[in-house]
Amino acid sequence: MNTHFQPFFDDISSFIPLSRLITDPLRTLAYGTDASFYRLVPQIVVQATSETEIQQLLKAANKHRISVTFRAAGTSLSGQAITDSVLIVLADGWDGYKISQDAMQISLQPGVIGGNANKYLLPFQRKIGPDPASINAAKIGGIAANNASGMCCGTAQNSYQTLKSMRLILADGSLLDTACPDSIQAFKQSHATLLNELSLLAEQTLANQALTERIKHKYRLKNTTGYAINSLIDFTDPIDILQHLMIGSEGTLGFISEITYNTVEEHPHKASALIFFNSVRVTCEAVAALKHTPVAAVELIDRAGLTSVMHKPGMPDFISDLNPNAAALLVETRASNEHQLNQAINEIIATLSQFETASQVEFYTDPSRCAEFWAIRKGLFPAVGAVRLTGTTVIIEDVAFPVERLADAVEDLHSIFKQLNYHEALIFGHALEGNLHFVFTQSFDSKDEVKRYEQLMEDVARLVVDKYDGSLKAEHGTGRNMAPFVEREWGKDAYQLMWSLKKRLDPNNLLNPGVLLNEDPQVHLANLKPMPAAHPLIDKCIECGFCEPSCPSRALTLTPRQRIVIWREISELRRTGSNPERLKRLEADYQYQGEETCAACGLCANTCPVSINTGNLTRAIRAENHITWTKKANWLAQNFSTLLASGRILLTVAHQTQRVLGANFLRKTSSGITRLSQGKVPTWSPSMPRAANRIQARELPSQTNPSSKVIYFASCASRTFGTSSQDTETRSLHEVTLNLLTKAGFEVIFPPKIEQLCCGMPFESKGLFEAAKLKSDELNTTLLELTQDGTVPIFSDTSPCSLRMKDNLDPRLQIFDSVEFIDRFVLNKLDIEAKEMQLAVHVTCSTVKMGLADALIRISRRCASHIVLPDQITCCGFAGDKGFTHPELNASSLRTLKTAVQTCDMGASTSRTCEIGLTQHSGIEYRSILYLLDQQSKAIEQNRP
């Protein structure tokens, strides 16, 4: 940390714990990136948890003249969420929400993820207006501060238009609640000068007819370039002006600590059509016509875009035959009922009948078919990212043109791409609003490449501003990227008006300086982010941050994006040898921050636009670190039954010790040993399970005429860990499963020598790939023989093992996870009576990745009258044995669980190790869902053995 920041640091450390003040080289670098192509490394990262802390931080910033930047999710694309000064990020405590009685309003704190807000509103058939593509990662603070919109909201339903009220904190640390009369009255007294100045600026703006008309003209389109100066002509009350100025201000005028939106209708009936045209011009003419029909969204995809996704599910075979100038529209219409939907479809088809299309116009209402269409649209951005050269970045620009001139604008953009050799560039966008995105790859590793990008931006500015009078930023925010072009787009009067607002609201220029307004004409070419080659597993990462909400270590150490940022830096330092001391420090810190606390669950791949599983990188790093373990690991693999037997003995001894010495003594003692052994010896907790009962030969069924056979592979976890010592249920999972499947009429067959068998997961997770393969090969051979080359289905009782088996064993084997098998083959063979209870359901990472979450929920609903899916819990962070060796990872991931399940009677999941941690951190007992299903079911007569 630069010594200039020390007095500020000393000051704020009096009210912010040191654990939430970050200054080390690794983590400040990790926070030095957002989804843009810029990098600025902060001197201090502050994890703030409350309004009071924000107020105190701003007062300290004014006292020491230290600039600050606010950051929510860091998914913004224009460089507005990074700084080389002080970065204030949202820690826990910012995810509150409140829905009005009629659901017409929702109040949201800035840490709520946009997609979660819609999830809360879904039961009321309402949603928030903004719908950016990043909605499942972007947080409300950023959505509002950038006035992000999206595919459907247009200009009528963005944050500016749907704002009801807000709580905001100004640069001087003062708080205003625009929904509270007392707060407004107090603010009018304390900030009378500011409010008078805003009123005067509004009057002067209205008196300037040319400027007023300019503002009206600019906002006929989507526009997020500069400040929302339309507030000065839309409102007369300075409080209204102030709160609307905050929308789209990118944290340069104040901090939004809560926003109340007027919600919009979420229509239950939807239909989508992918419509192909033989030319871009006809496509754009069709857009202009559709603007007067009941369409909810009209997305344009140019020919390059169609080519990039031509092999996606749902794309017709004739794509390759379309001419080079072809394009398509993805159209969606929505309605409150089926009749209205059909009327809307007919009206749209009638409107399109005047245009020549390359195929018949056909709307689909099937949700899966519509989802395929929208997956095609959302796949355009990653399609470019997946084919880019290592070392380049993917840039997505965001402009808007008058809809009536859209065809000419698209042709002009194509011409620019051709002239500057951006051959991979493609265009798509929200055509109904004239809002186009163009995506291209860009290297910044040479002066020529930087010059080429500079020329592109100049040519685009000339096209958008000078020729079409459009918007250089329609929904992505101005940031650093377009700050040099604000005056060019708006003109001198509007630009000076924006500076006047900035100086009145942030007189010391401490809030995100240089963003949105910047006098440096070259700022968009400075601080460009390096993207060096690091590892083939991660080189395609575009650092968008979509992975972060699903990561169990996100509040403890690093996120997947941050792990990649650091590994890129380490790889580059190793390659160049330029700074050995820095390299040594980063490598040492990464051991814990990056490798040891990575659950390697792979959920990040589910939300990554280019499907990067950062867990694979972690396992590769572990393989390098554990290369000396290979012989020992192979010996353990070959003597696996001994390992399991030892594990059961240790559990038995530990439980006996607990009875004698007490749980607290054992927990404290084992915790100290865990630290001293650097995680090699696990930490004991009262929720630690008793040893599982061994599978006995006498348990094998002896039916003479079974209705069907199933091979039951009980995982090594379920063969080792029984229920917890505090649980009244003493049966092991394999005993319950055997009873349940037999009840349903199946002949259950255990593999011979099952104690020696393992899918290899425990070894793979540590990067011991050779031992992992030994075990999976052994299991594969046994199961092929036992199932007669796959003719008999296999039941797997632990979801992580099920996933590994499906991924690694012979495809002829019919491998079913417990949830999958029960849902498909067992439920209809049992008489099930739902228990009157609240059941907490944990969907494991593996269950999600296998696409079985809905199946687990269906089974749970059959067993319990009410189920609870805890909000914000993704991967539990137990990660096989991490819950034993690094319990802080499990604790951090489940830190909100106890509150979420406080009304529940018990919990259910599909992985025994996950259930250990869930039990410990919830205060209720978690077991496999099979226990409850067995308890609440009885055999239908014809299924009785």
Side-chain angles (χ1 to χ4, degrees):
M1 180 175 65
N2 188 298
T3 55
H4 172 68
F5 291 85
Q6 191 65 51
F8 174 80
F9 182 89
D10 293 340
D11 197 344
I12 66 174
S13 62
S14 66
F15 58 87
I16 304 283
L18 292 177
S19 60
R20 291 194 276 115
L21 295 175
I22 296 170
T23 59
D24 63 271
L26 184 143
R27 288 185 293 167
T28 52
L29 174 61
Y31 280 103
T33 187
D34 61 4
S36 73
F37 49 94
Y38 299 102
R39 173 187 286 177
L40 285 169
V41 179
Q43 292 289 315
I44 305 171
V45 178
V46 183
Q47 297 174 327
T49 62
S50 67
E51 286 181 335
T52 300
E53 287 185 352
I54 296 292
Q55 290 178 283
Q56 291 175 300
L57 284 165
L58 289 175
K59 289 174 182 177
N62 276 283
K63 175 183 175 182
H64 298 282
R65 292 295 189 266
I66 296 292
S67 64
V68 300
T69 294
F70 304 116
R71 177 169 177 167
T75 56
S76 51
L77 294 160
S78 301
Q80 55 265 62
I82 55 175
T83 179
D84 56 4
S85 182
V86 174
L87 184 68
I88 300 175
V89 299
L90 301 181
D92 288 345
W94 297 102
D95 53 3
Y97 71 96
K98 183 179 179 181
I99 300 173
S100 65
Q101 191 169 5
D102 59 2
M104 299 301 286
Q105 284 90 36
I106 184 170
S107 299
L108 298 160
Q109 288 188 300
V112 176
I113 292 173
N116 287 345
N118 284 340
K119 183 172 67 175
Y120 306 146
L121 289 166
L122 187 59
F124 309 98
Q125 293 189 5
R126 307 292 294 179
K127 63 178 182 176
I128 60 172
D131 62 340
S134 59
I135 195 166
N136 290 322
K139 295 178 179 178
I140 291 299
I143 290 173
N146 289 289
N147 198 19
S149 48
M151 289 181 272
C152 298
C153 86
T155 55
Q157 296 181 348
N158 60 22
S159 292
Y160 183 93
Q161 296 294 348
T162 58
L163 169 64
K164 174 73 173 177
S165 63
M166 70 168 61
R167 290 174 66 88
L168 60 97
I169 301 173
L170 293 182
D172 61 2
S174 58
L175 172 67
L176 167 64
D177 183 350
T178 66
C180 175
D182 289 344
S183 177
I184 291 173
Q185 187 58 40
F187 190 82
K188 284 181 176 178
Q189 293 179 356
S190 62
H191 289 73
T193 301
L194 171 64
L195 294 177
N196 289 336
E197 288 176 341
L198 290 178
S199 294
L200 181 60
L201 284 174
E203 291 172 7
Q204 292 172 346
T205 302
L206 286 168
N208 186 334
Q209 187 174 355
L211 179 57
T212 299
E213 291 303 314
R214 179 65 181 156
I215 294 170
K216 291 178 180 178
H217 180 74
K218 289 296 294 177
Y219 284 103
R220 79 201 188 286
L221 300 176
K222 276 188 177 183
N223 192 332
T224 58
T225 308
Y227 290 124
I229 55 176
N230 48 333
S231 60
L232 295 169
I233 64 172
D234 290 343
F235 304 99
T236 55
D237 185 338
I239 297 293
D240 273 332
I241 293 172
L242 177 59
Q243 69 172 353
H244 282 84
L245 277 171
M246 291 294 153
I247 302 298
S249 64
E250 302 175 23
T252 64
L253 300 181
F255 176 83
I256 301 171
S257 61
E258 182 183 270
I259 184 168
T260 299
Y261 282 116
N262 292 314
T263 61
V264 301
E265 185 176 3
E266 172 65 298
H267 296 92
H269 297 271
K270 302 174 185 178
S272 296
L274 188 58
I275 306 162
F276 299 89
F277 298 85
N278 292 316
S279 73
V280 170
R281 183 161 296 280
V282 173
T283 307
C284 294
E285 289 171 354
V287 170
L290 287 171
K291 198 166 179 65
H292 306 290
T293 66
V295 290
V298 178
E299 294 291 301
L300 182 145
I301 308 173
D302 74 352
R303 184 67 179 89
L306 292 173
T307 301
S308 72
V309 293
M310 63 186 297
H311 299 299
K312 287 266 187 182
M315 288 295 273
D317 296 334
F318 61 75
I319 294 294
S320 58
D321 299 326
L322 291 174
N323 71 62
N325 197 37
L329 295 177
L330 176 54
V331 178
E332 181 169 283
T333 184
R334 303 173 177 180
S336 299
N337 56 60
E338 191 173 343
H339 175 69
Q340 290 177 356
L341 184 67
N342 288 330
Q343 282 185 321
I345 290 171
N346 291 334
E347 183 179 342
I348 294 167
I349 291 176
T351 299
L352 290 173
S353 64
Q354 62 185 296
F355 302 99
E356 181 185 354
T357 58
S359 62
Q360 183 179 348
V361 178
E362 187 172 4
F363 276 85
Y364 294 86
T365 56
D366 175 49
S368 60
R369 182 66 166 152
C370 293
E372 282 185 343
F373 286 154
W374 288 100
I376 290 166
R377 159 62 181 83
K378 291 177 180 178
L380 289 166
F381 181 38
V384 176
V387 299
R388 68 185 174 87
L389 295 174
T390 299
T392 64
T393 189
V394 180
I395 297 177
I396 178 169
E397 289 296 351
D398 164 49
V399 296
F401 301 99
V403 174
E404 63 275 9
R405 303 186 68 186
L406 197 58
D408 291 334
V410 171
E411 290 179 355
D412 286 342
L413 280 174
H414 281 149
S415 178
I416 291 174
F417 299 155
K418 186 176 181 180
Q419 290 170 11
L420 296 176
N421 296 317
Y422 287 101
H423 302 298
E424 78 293 345
L426 55 85
I427 297 173
F428 60 90
H430 321 313
L432 205 63
E433 304 297 332
N435 179 194
L436 296 180
H437 302 308
F438 55 94
V439 182
F440 57 97
T441 63
Q442 178 69 56
S443 170
F444 291 116
D445 60 1
S446 70
K447 291 182 179 180
D448 287 344
E449 279 297 295
V450 174
K451 192 69 177 177
R452 183 169 73 122
Y453 175 72
E454 181 181 14
Q455 187 61 54
L456 173 69
M457 295 303 293
E458 175 58 32
D459 289 352
V460 168
R462 186 184 305 114
L463 180 71
V464 173
V465 175
D466 301 345
K467 184 172 182 178
Y468 292 102
D469 198 13
S471 306
L472 283 169
K473 284 293 178 184
E475 59 180 7
H476 289 173
T478 306
R480 302 172 188 280
N481 184 225
M482 283 298 170
F485 301 94
V486 174
E487 182 173 12
R488 181 170 183 170
E489 177 174 331
W490 273 98
K492 184 178 180 179
D493 286 354
Y495 186 63
Q496 291 304 316
L497 176 58
M498 292 178 189
W499 271 113
S500 295
L501 290 166
K502 170 69 172 174
K503 290 172 182 176
R504 282 166 172 78
L505 287 163
D506 181 21
N508 294 322
N509 195 28
L510 298 179
L511 301 184
N512 216 2
V515 165
L516 199 142
L517 298 179
N518 198 311
E519 299 289 11
D520 180 1
Q522 299 289 302
V523 69
H524 62 305
L525 304 175
N527 302 302
L528 299 170
K529 182 195 299 181
M531 299 285 275
H535 196 289
L537 290 169
I538 59 167
D539 283 339
K540 298 299 182 186
C541 175
I542 53 181
E543 300 181 10
C544 64
F546 287 11
C547 57
E548 294 190 332
S550 64
C551 181
S553 63
R554 64 188 182 275
L556 177 66
T557 50
L558 301 178
T559 67
R561 168 168 62 174
Q562 292 174 329
R563 285 184 169 89
I564 291 173
V565 168
I566 302 304
W567 198 250
R568 281 174 165 161
E569 181 75 0
I570 288 173
S571 300
E572 183 68 0
L573 289 172
R574 286 176 176 176
R575 186 184 67 82
T576 62
S578 57
N579 194 333
E581 289 186 11
R582 177 173 169 80
L583 173 61
K584 185 178 180 180
R585 173 72 186 273
L586 290 179
E587 287 178 329
D589 289 352
Y590 190 85
Q591 183 68 26
Y592 178 79
Q593 299 282 343
E595 188 264 287
E596 292 180 10
T597 54
C598 176
C601 62
L603 278 184
C604 46
N606 286 28
T607 51
C608 173
V610 289
S611 302
I612 291 172
N613 182 343
T614 312
N616 288 338
L617 171 68
T618 296
R619 281 184 282 270
I621 294 170
R622 288 172 184 167
E624 292 180 8
N625 294 343
H626 299 164
I627 196 163
T628 58
W629 296 11
T630 300
K631 287 185 178 180
K632 292 179 182 177
N634 290 349
W635 185 90
L636 289 172
Q638 291 160 358
N639 297 272
F640 199 71
S641 59
T642 302
L643 180 64
L644 289 193
S646 301
R648 286 192 291 266
I649 291 170
L650 287 171
L651 285 170
T652 301
V653 170
H655 275 284
Q656 291 172 347
T657 305
Q658 176 180 291
R659 280 196 291 269
V660 175
L661 300 177
N664 284 337
F665 174 82
L666 194 58
R667 178 181 56 80
K668 291 178 181 177
T669 302
S670 65
S671 179
I673 296 173
T674 299
R675 287 194 298 271
L676 290 173
S677 67
Q678 295 183 326
K680 293 183 178 66
V681 177
T683 298
W684 178 265
S685 76
S687 59
M688 189 76 82
R690 53 172 70 94
N693 302 321
R694 286 196 62 171
I695 296 173
Q696 303 294 334
R698 61 182 173 79
E699 294 179 2
L700 296 176
S702 58
Q703 300 179 44
T704 54
N705 295 303
S707 58
S708 56
K709 294 182 179 182
V710 61
I711 308 300
Y712 174 19
F713 176 66
S715 74
C716 54
S718 63
R719 301 196 311 266
T720 304
F721 300 116
T723 54
S724 80
S725 59
Q726 302 156 325
D727 198 342
T728 56
E729 173 64 78
T730 59
R731 292 179 300 166
S732 297
L733 178 56
H734 60 81
E735 296 171 300
V736 173
T737 304
L738 177 61
N739 189 61
L740 180 63
L741 295 178
T742 304
K743 191 190 306 184
F746 290 93
E747 178 183 2
V748 181
I749 303 168
F750 288 97
K753 299 180 180 178
I754 191 170
E755 283 291 279
Q756 180 61 22
L757 298 178
C758 171
C759 69
M761 173 69 75
F763 298 100
E764 182 194 49
S765 66
K766 296 173 177 57
L768 300 168
F769 299 135
E770 188 175 316
K773 189 174 188 304
L774 280 173
K775 297 313 295 177
S776 60
D777 286 350
E778 180 183 27
L779 181 60
N780 192 64
T781 300
T782 301
L783 292 179
L784 279 173
E785 181 179 346
L786 192 59
T787 63
Q788 298 175 357
D789 291 338
T791 59
V792 181
I794 300 164
F795 181 101
S796 169
D797 65 7
T798 302
S799 53
C801 302
S802 304
L803 178 61
R804 175 163 168 79
M805 291 163 67
K806 286 171 178 278
D807 287 345
N808 290 276
L809 300 194
D810 194 301
R812 289 175 293 173
L813 294 172
Q814 301 179 61
I815 299 166
F816 293 93
D817 180 63
S818 59
V819 164
E820 186 178 16
F821 192 87
I822 296 296
D823 187 51
R824 290 179 60 177
F825 306 120
V826 175
L827 288 182
N828 62 348
K829 296 182 178 180
L830 296 174
D831 183 4
I832 306 168
E833 181 180 355
K835 186 176 183 178
E836 187 64 35
M837 67 179 300
Q838 291 243 24
L839 177 68
V841 178
H842 176 71
V843 183
T844 69
C845 317
S846 304
T847 302
V848 170
K849 289 192 281 187
M850 289 185 288
L852 297 176
D854 290 342
L856 175 58
I857 292 168
R858 278 194 297 272
I859 296 168
S860 302
R861 292 192 192 283
R862 292 289 300 274
C863 298
S865 57
H866 301 91
I867 72 167
V868 173
L869 293 164
D871 191 31
Q872 300 179 44
I873 303 294
T874 54
C875 170
C876 70
F878 206 91
D881 63 357
K882 287 290 180 187
F884 300 136
T885 61
H886 292 81
E888 68 274 21
L889 174 60
N890 186 224
S892 177
S893 182
L894 299 181
R895 64 196 183 281
T896 62
L897 179 62
K898 193 167 188 175
T899 301
V901 302
Q902 59 185 327
T903 62
C904 294
D905 301 290
M906 64 172 290
S909 191
T910 57
S911 171
R912 186 67 196 102
T913 51
C914 296
E915 291 149 16
I916 296 170
L918 291 162
T919 297
Q920 180 180 354
H921 295 290
S922 67
I924 60 174
E925 203 67 46
Y926 272 80
R927 307 186 198 117
S928 167
I929 185 63
L930 302 185
Y931 281 89
L932 186 59
L933 179 58
D934 183 49
Q935 176 187 317
Q936 297 304 120
S937 66
K938 59 184 178 180
I940 297 175
E941 191 62 35
Q942 63 265 32
N943 294 327
R944 293 184 185 276

